[in-house]
Amino acid sequence: MISTYRVTLRSISNFNSLRLIFVDYFILPIVSLTMFLLIVYNSNQNYTRTLLGTVITSGIASGIGVTCASFIYDQDIGISDDIASIRPAFSKYWLPKFIIAAITLTVEILTLGGIGLITLNEAKLFPKLLLSLPLTILISSTLGYVSATAGFRHENPYWLANIITGSLVLLSGVIIPITQYPFWLRIFAELLPISNLLDWILNTTIYNYDLLIVSGKIFIWFLLCLFIKVEAKYKLRK
């Protein structure tokens, strides 16, 4: 089991050195965070929401990147077809990818979120940010699975991952609430539960309507993952 995790770690180029890890998962997210906070400077937007939204979307994007990079590495070395035929147990193939992605996401969100909340004198929200991690991990895992499988045998295996990670900030309503979006854009934004997750973190209660919406949307994405898995098995049998 440990060897499986070692192989998965080696398949992710961003983990090849401490410098890459520091730049990709700390420096670049801080640059993005600073940029978005400067955008809303002297505006009526909620600084705290922008901070949390940027940190969470950055963490989710990192999780998606880790999952896709590991899966695409298997394609590059030519073992994806064998894996698709053998269909190894979830715990032996996908789980290590999700766990490594979850650890990466968790460290990034807690580090940047903690620094940001202390800076904005909003440390009281840190426990809620901590409680949101399981939901954030589920969001990242489902989006990562869909993105990775969508790129299987595709000329550009990162095509969906790039679209999703590139539009996370826009679709999560970090700067402008999605209620102010044009109707066509709001439809796409409502597909993701990130905006609802931000509403839940900023809410003083734990069990509320926002939590129900987030859970429901995650469940829908989970069903999509199951559908993709069943469809892939059906294609292999043909």
Side-chain angles (χ1 to χ4, degrees), residues 94-114:
W94 283 106
L95 185 60
K97 303 181 189 303
F98 291 147
I99 289 180
I100 293 172
I103 293 174
T104 304
L105 173 156
T106 298
V107 172
E108 182 175 338
I109 288 179
L110 292 184
T111 302
L112 299 180

Side-chain angles (χ1 to χ4, degrees), residues 176-197:
I176 301 175
I178 62 175
T179 53
Q180 300 179 18
Y181 285 1
F183 178 74
W184 65 270
L185 182 57
R186 185 173 178 180
I187 292 176
F188 290 102
E190 291 288 2
L191 294 175
L192 297 179
I194 302 176
S195 179
N196 307 109
L197 180 62

Side-chain angles (χ1 to χ4, degrees), residues 64-103:
I64 294 173
V66 168
T67 303
C68 289
S70 179
F71 183 73
I72 291 169
Y73 175 82
D74 294 339
Q75 296 181 59
D76 292 340
I77 63 176
I79 66 172
S80 291
D81 291 334
D82 294 335
I83 291 172
S85 300
I86 298 172
R87 295 197 293 273
F90 174 83
S91 60
K92 293 183 178 180
Y93 185 73
W94 283 106
L95 185 60
K97 303 181 189 303
F98 291 147
I99 289 180
I100 293 172
I103 293 174

Side-chain angles (χ1 to χ4, degrees), residues 28-68:
L28 292 180
I30 282 185
V31 171
S32 298
L33 177 60
T34 303
M35 180 187 69
F36 285 116
L37 288 177
L38 288 175
I39 289 175
V40 300
Y41 182 70
N42 280 338
S43 69
N44 295 324
Q45 300 299 327
N46 188 333
Y47 245 51
T48 305
R49 184 184 180 89
T50 302
L51 166 72
L52 292 173
T54 306
V55 168
I56 288 176
T57 53
S58 177
I60 290 175
S62 296
I64 294 173
V66 168
T67 303
C68 289

